[in-house]
Amino acid sequence: MQNRMMITGAGSGLGREIALRWAREGWRLALSDVSEPGLQETLRQVREAGGDGFVQRCDVRDYSQLTAFAQACEEKLGGIDVIVNNAGVASGGFFSELSLEDWDWQIAINLMGVVKGCKAFLPLLEKSRGKIINIASMAALMQGPAMSNYNVAKAGVVALSESLLVELAQQEIGVHVVCPSFFQTNLLDSFRGPTPAMKAQVGKLLESSPITAAEIADYIYLQVAEGQFMILPHEQGRAAWAMKQKNPQSLYDEMTAMADKMRAKARQNLG
């Protein structure tokens, strides 16, 4: 390990906090995002925290931009040891309200962006025997109501990570998948949904979270060091996942009740 890390979606939120956590250990970071100002701010904070690196604008929907980013990592850092596929967007809405465009947008960024990131950087990871850290979500495991396209994209990230875990073991490439619950982040900036009420509900969940992005980054750092594959940063999330494994039906019943409540609330708002 030469302490070189690539992060997508590094211009804000969890991506930035992961960069800062590893920067404090003196890592060199390759930071990408669609937001140039966000990237510059992350790089400034990374240098203050004791790390260094470079930034490159990259839209994870475009494979050629990711391969160009991988090439830049090879030229500027001599390779890469850890990749963090973190870039993501939020969306919500009941299945009947979501358009196929909403589905395409969500899958293109949150799932295929991770697939393309892994694909573009695999040759470098084979050389360094590095690690892949994919950022999924508790939505991948819990499938809450009114976010089917988000649930499906994030569940795909978990399935991809499980596939890579077994396929890449022989090449000594480590794989980790992170499933955070709601936390204080700017995910709402990218939120896309059919109703403003849905955005407001998600906003409340984000604000009421007891855990910050910095704490999640710290938890990821420790769990990766321990070699943990599935990383669940929230205590509530770990409890919910344990419950679902033991008694899936009880969780489905809870989610059904939640969907009814959401519909009732939406009707009230319209009324």
Side-chain angles (χ1 to χ4, degrees):
M1 282 273 169
Q2 289 190 1
N3 300 356
R4 303 160 302 186
M5 175 185 258
M6 171 287 261
I7 306 168
T8 65
S12 63
L14 184 58
R16 175 177 289 169
E17 293 302 338
I18 290 171
L20 294 176
R21 181 65 190 84
W22 265 264
R24 288 202 290 277
E25 309 298 323
W27 281 55
R28 291 179 294 159
L29 301 156
L31 307 165
S32 80
D33 200 288
V34 288
S35 160
E36 299 259 14
L39 279 177
Q40 293 301 337
E41 177 55 24
T42 301
L43 184 61
R44 188 187 68 74
Q45 291 186 29
V46 155
R47 286 179 173 150
E48 270 178 18
D52 199 9
F54 72 96
V55 299
Q56 186 157 321
R57 191 188 179 280
C58 179
D59 184 333
V60 296
R61 289 174 290 188
D62 184 346
Y63 185 61
S64 67
Q65 289 185 33
L66 279 159
T67 53
F69 186 36
Q71 205 177 336
C73 288
E74 194 161 25
E75 285 164 13
K76 294 178 182 183
L77 305 178
I80 212 81
D81 302 293
V82 179
I83 69 165
V84 183
N85 291 302
N86 165 72
V89 289
S91 64
F94 284 101
F95 182 74
S96 57
E97 305 165 331
L98 292 169
S99 67
L100 288 178
E101 286 73 23
D102 290 332
W103 276 89
D104 288 342
W105 177 76
Q106 181 57 239
I107 301 282
I109 299 169
N110 281 6
L111 175 54
M112 290 310 298
V114 177
V115 171
K116 290 171 183 174
C118 290
K119 192 87 179 148
F121 279 83
L122 187 58
L124 293 182
L125 292 170
E126 284 172 336
K127 284 182 197 163
S128 65
R129 294 189 178 148
K131 294 186 201 299
I132 294 170
I133 303 173
N134 290 330
I135 308 297
S137 164
M138 278 312 290
L141 308 175
M142 295 291 120
Q143 288 85 43
M147 48 199 287
S148 56
N149 60 345
Y150 186 78
N151 294 341
V152 168
K154 292 296 193 177
V157 173
V158 171
L160 169 70
S161 305
E162 288 175 333
S163 306
L164 295 177
L165 175 73
V166 294
E167 283 188 30
L168 300 178
Q170 208 178 5
Q171 282 111 296
E172 296 177 53
I173 295 171
V175 179
H176 308 270
V177 66
V178 184
C179 297
S181 308
F182 287 110
F183 59 95
Q184 294 147 17
T185 176
N186 64 332
L187 199 58
L188 274 194
D189 296 351
S190 68
F191 187 89
R192 191 186 279 200
T195 61
M198 188 67 66
K199 185 169 181 171
Q201 277 180 326
V202 174
K204 273 187 195 143
L205 284 168
L206 294 176
E207 279 165 31
S208 65
S209 168
I211 188 168
T212 63
E215 288 166 319
I216 291 172
D218 203 43
Y219 189 82
I220 294 168
Y221 183 86
L222 298 169
Q223 293 283 290
V224 167
E226 285 176 20
Q228 184 69 35
F229 166 67
M230 189 175 280
I231 299 173
L232 309 178
H234 291 67
E235 208 173 321
Q236 256 179 318
R238 293 193 287 275
W241 178 228
M243 181 183 98
K244 184 180 179 179
Q245 286 174 300
K246 212 179 344 191
N247 183 1
Q249 191 58 50
S250 67
L251 186 91
Y252 303 143
D253 293 344
E254 204 178 302
M255 292 297 183
T256 305
M258 196 196 287
D260 292 343
K261 263 190 217 159
M262 287 168 89
R263 283 203 177 90
K265 203 168 177 186
R267 277 196 297 273
Q268 259 176 4
N269 291 338
L270 287 173

